[in-house]
């Protein structure tokens, strides 16, 4: 069963905006039906235009770690707004913001603020190529680094295959230097180094993968990857746009005690406003213009409202970091283990994972170690689950391959309501499962 939540609004939007949306996953194509339209968000809740309330596990796709409209963030933005929205010039808040990020991530000595994770990834690739004088970039199947031409390479075409573009409009010359490896598979990376030693500028990885559902690195994977990069003189770039300040204050690099050469950030550091950042050792970062020759610029980069919003968010997280990250982990752990128990009771193939304030689940038997495993998740079961949860006022992302996000405003009350809803949703899921088994006979 699929539902058109607000068909009139969506019909109007489709006449004016391609597909009716400003970012494709919002269109509900993966779950069927058409999107719900929200009018406000507060704490752990979203409110739709018909005044229906939903517990939110999307969190703006990551930024809302303090919950929506947190008073500290709102008042910081209001104060900044009243002083002017953008100067196109230097201001003290950008220094405070840089200091804050650098103090929280030891691998970062200098940071450049940009406007999105995509922009950060694009600039990181350019910087890595300039720094090494090499052209090839390794990314991982199922890894997403924004819609950068060179990084939009179809996943799953094999560890040693040269990348081919996954969107029209990207010339094959643009992706011919993009190589694909398999997540959690060191041999796939070793074979790329064997074939292209001396040509690989950087290995770009989500240290905890969050764009094929949530897939955790196996013990030793990241540190072995770092050693390989060092051995072959390639830069290790951690894309912590999603994981930065969400899985731990110092990001996945602190959880796994692994220092990349460059880090790209986004989401949480903007507290809900458009943002991205590239950070790393001063020697590398100084290659960026104007100290160095690598072009990088932005009209709204480091704008004062984003800095105020991000600073308020990071300062709040820092103040009570131990309690905050332990509570986020505890919530994610109890939610995912509760879901697993329910799935087991209904005998539905299901597996879950979590890291701090991020969680994931797949409708397949685990373990899910890489993109290929993630693709085994049953889309029909997810679709049924998604709409059954919506009907009970719980909003997960409308795609089986998005991570779930929790905030400090998610409490036992929301946990209990969610697990009750999961139990009811799995009654519908088990019917879909039975139907699919019947059809496959
Ligand atoms: N990198 C990762 C890991 C992401 O999850 C995303 C977006 O979801 C991006 C980069 C791109 O960020 P943005 O959407 O801000 O361009």
């Amino acid at each position: 069963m699929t539902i058109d939540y607000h068909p009139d609004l969506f019909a109007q939007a489709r006449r004016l905006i391609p597909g009716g949306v400003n970012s494709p996953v919002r269109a509900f194509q993966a779950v069927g039906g058409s999107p719900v339209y929200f009018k406000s968000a507060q704490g752990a809740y979203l409110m739709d235009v018909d005044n229906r309330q939903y517990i939110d596990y999307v969190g703006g796709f990551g930024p809302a770690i303090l919950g929506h409209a947190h008073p500290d963030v709102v008042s910081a933005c209001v104060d900044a707004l009243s002083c002017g929205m953008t100067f196109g010039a230097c201001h003290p808040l950008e220094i405070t913001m840089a200091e804050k990020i650098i103090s929280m991530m030891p691998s970062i000595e200098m940071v450049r603020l940009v406007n999105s994770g995509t922009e950060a990834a694009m600039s990181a690739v350019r910087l890595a190529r300039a720094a090494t004088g090499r052209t090839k970039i390794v990314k991982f199947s199922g890894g997403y680094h924004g819609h950068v031409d060179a990084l939009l390479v179809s996943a799953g075409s094999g560890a040693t295959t040269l990348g081919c573009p996954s969107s029209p409009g990207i010339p094959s010359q643009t992706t011919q230097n993009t190589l694909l490896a398999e997540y959690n598979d060191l041999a796939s990376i070793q074979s790329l180094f064997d074939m292209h030693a001396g040509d690989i500028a950087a290995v770009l990885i989500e240290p905890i993968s969050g764009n094929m559902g949530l897939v955790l690195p196996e013990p030793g994977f990241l540190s072995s990857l770092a050693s390989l990069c060092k051995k072959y003189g390639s830069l290790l770039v951690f894309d912590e746009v999603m994981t930065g300040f969400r899985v731990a204050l110092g990001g996945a690099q602190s959880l796994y005690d692994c220092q990349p050469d460059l880090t790209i950030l986004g989401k949480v550091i903007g507290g809900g406003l458009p943002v991205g950042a590239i950070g790393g050792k001063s020697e590398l970062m100084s290659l960026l213009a104007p100290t160095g020759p690598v072009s990088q610029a932005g009209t709204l980069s480091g704008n004062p409202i984003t800095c105020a919003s991000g600073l308020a968010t990071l300062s709040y997280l820092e103040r009570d970091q131990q309690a905050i990250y332990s509570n986020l982990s505890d919530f994610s752990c109890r939610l995912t283990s509760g879901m697993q128990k329910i799935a087991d009771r209904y005998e539905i193939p299901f597996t879950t994972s979590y890291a701090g304030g991020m969680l994931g689940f797949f409708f397949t038997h685990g373990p899910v170690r890489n993109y290929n495993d993630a693709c085994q998740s049953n889309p029909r079961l997810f679709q049924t689950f998604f709409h059954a949860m919506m009907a009970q006022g719980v909003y997960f992302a409308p795609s089986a391959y998005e991570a779930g996000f929790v905030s400090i405003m998610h409490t036992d009350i929301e946990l209990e309501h969610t697990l009750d809803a999961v139990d009811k949703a799995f009654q519908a899921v088990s019917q879909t499962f039975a139907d699919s088994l019947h059809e496959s006979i």
Side-chain angles (χ1 to χ4, degrees):
M1 180 192 61
T2 61
I3 300 170
D4 291 313
Y5 292 91
H6 298 108
D8 294 346
L9 283 173
F10 192 50
Q12 191 184 355
R14 285 172 77 176
R15 284 194 294 277
L16 304 168
I17 307 170
V21 291
N22 284 311
S23 195
V25 74
R26 300 177 196 170
F28 275 40
Q29 278 180 352
V31 289
S34 62
V36 59
Y37 278 77
F38 296 110
K39 66 173 185 185
S40 65
Q42 186 71 52
Y45 290 88
L46 291 166
M47 175 85 81
D48 78 10
V49 291
D50 298 325
N51 295 322
R52 276 194 302 256
Q53 198 169 262
Y54 302 79
I55 300 173
D56 180 24
Y57 288 102
V58 178
F61 282 107
I65 195 164
L66 301 185
H68 295 285
H70 189 282
D72 283 17
V73 180
V74 172
S75 88
C77 289
V78 169
D79 288 351
L81 270 170
S82 62
C83 297
M85 293 192 193
T86 185
F87 310 138
C90 303
H91 60 94
L93 264 189
E94 64 188 351
I95 305 175
T96 320
M97 178 75 172
E99 249 174 355
K100 185 65 81 192
I101 292 172
I102 289 165
S103 74
M104 291 170 163
M105 281 198 168
S107 70
I108 298 183
E109 292 173 357
M110 276 187 160
V111 63
R112 168 72 51 90
L113 294 177
V114 296
N115 300 292
S116 70
T118 298
E119 207 183 318
M122 178 186 77
S123 300
V125 167
R126 186 180 303 152
L127 178 56
R129 284 176 165 154
T132 57
R134 301 174 178 186
T135 49
K136 297 202 185 300
I137 300 290
V138 175
K139 77 172 283 281
F140 290 79
S141 298
Y144 177 67
H145 309 287
H147 59 104
V148 178
D149 277 5
L151 300 175
L152 273 184
V153 170
S154 61
S157 47
T160 56
T161 313
L162 291 178
C164 48
S166 60
S167 164
I170 302 178
S172 54
Q173 295 92 318
T174 309
T175 53
Q176 71 189 5
N177 288 310
T178 307
L179 309 170
L180 275 176
E182 295 304 317
Y183 194 73
N184 275 326
D185 181 354
L186 273 180
S188 73
I189 303 152
Q190 180 66 64
S191 70
L192 291 176
F193 277 123
D194 289 345
M195 268 187 288
H196 304 284
D199 290 337
I200 296 176
V203 176
L204 195 60
I205 187 168
E206 294 175 69
I208 293 173
S209 195
N211 283 290
M212 48 176 158
L214 181 68
V215 182
L216 299 175
E218 291 178 341
F221 174 65
L222 294 174
S223 53
S224 303
L225 177 62
S227 304
L228 274 181
C229 287
K230 201 162 183 198
K231 178 174 169 193
Y232 289 95
S234 304
L235 299 181
L236 178 61
V237 183
F238 273 3
D239 180 345
E240 296 231 42
V241 168
M242 202 182 263
T243 52
F245 310 99
R246 175 157 277 287
V247 298
L249 195 68
Q253 53 195 270
S254 75
L255 268 188
Y256 291 92
D257 195 18
C258 183
Q259 306 262 304
D261 298 294
L262 289 173
T263 299
I264 60 178
L265 297 167
K267 300 193 190 264
V268 166
I269 61 163
L273 294 183
V275 79
I278 324 154
K281 294 266 176 287
S282 305
E283 194 190 346
L284 268 179
M285 293 299 293
S286 299
L287 293 174
L288 290 178
T291 34
V294 181
S295 171
Q296 201 290 314
T299 301
L300 290 171
S301 294
N303 87 81
I305 320 298
T306 297
C307 287
S309 170
L311 263 174
T313 304
L314 295 181
S315 302
Y316 191 99
L317 291 171
E318 188 179 35
R319 230 173 286 140
D320 203 8
Q321 52 182 287
Q322 269 186 337
I324 286 177
Y325 288 98
S326 130
N327 289 343
L328 287 169
S329 277
D330 184 58
F331 188 97
S332 301
C333 175
R334 288 192 292 150
L335 177 55
T336 50
S337 60
M339 291 172 84
Q340 185 71 61
K341 273 192 201 125
I342 294 166
D344 292 347
R345 185 151 39 80
Y346 283 94
E347 298 184 359
I348 303 292
F350 196 69
T351 187
T352 67
S353 56
Y354 74 92
M358 259 171 99
L359 57 94
F361 52 90
F362 298 94
F363 285 91
T364 181
H365 294 295
V368 173
R369 301 176 57 247
N370 55 34
Y371 184 53
N372 190 40
D373 294 342
C375 289
Q376 307 310 310
S377 191
N378 183 323
R380 277 181 66 192
L381 301 190
F382 178 77
Q383 186 181 52
T384 303
F385 173 79
F386 172 83
H387 286 289
M389 294 302 282
M390 285 288 281
Q392 299 174 86
V394 183
Y395 187 63
F396 281 101
S399 158
Y401 300 105
E402 298 290 346
F405 298 101
V406 299
S407 77
I408 61 165
M409 305 307 271
H410 287 72
T411 68
D412 284 358
I413 295 169
E414 286 73 35
L415 183 70
E416 221 167 277
H417 180 104
T418 306
L419 287 174
D420 283 348
V422 170
D423 203 327
K424 293 199 185 76
F426 267 81
Q427 292 173 20
V429 171
S430 73
Q431 186 56 52
T432 306
F433 187 50
D435 292 347
S436 64
L437 287 181
H438 188 70
E439 283 161 19
S440 66
I441 290 172

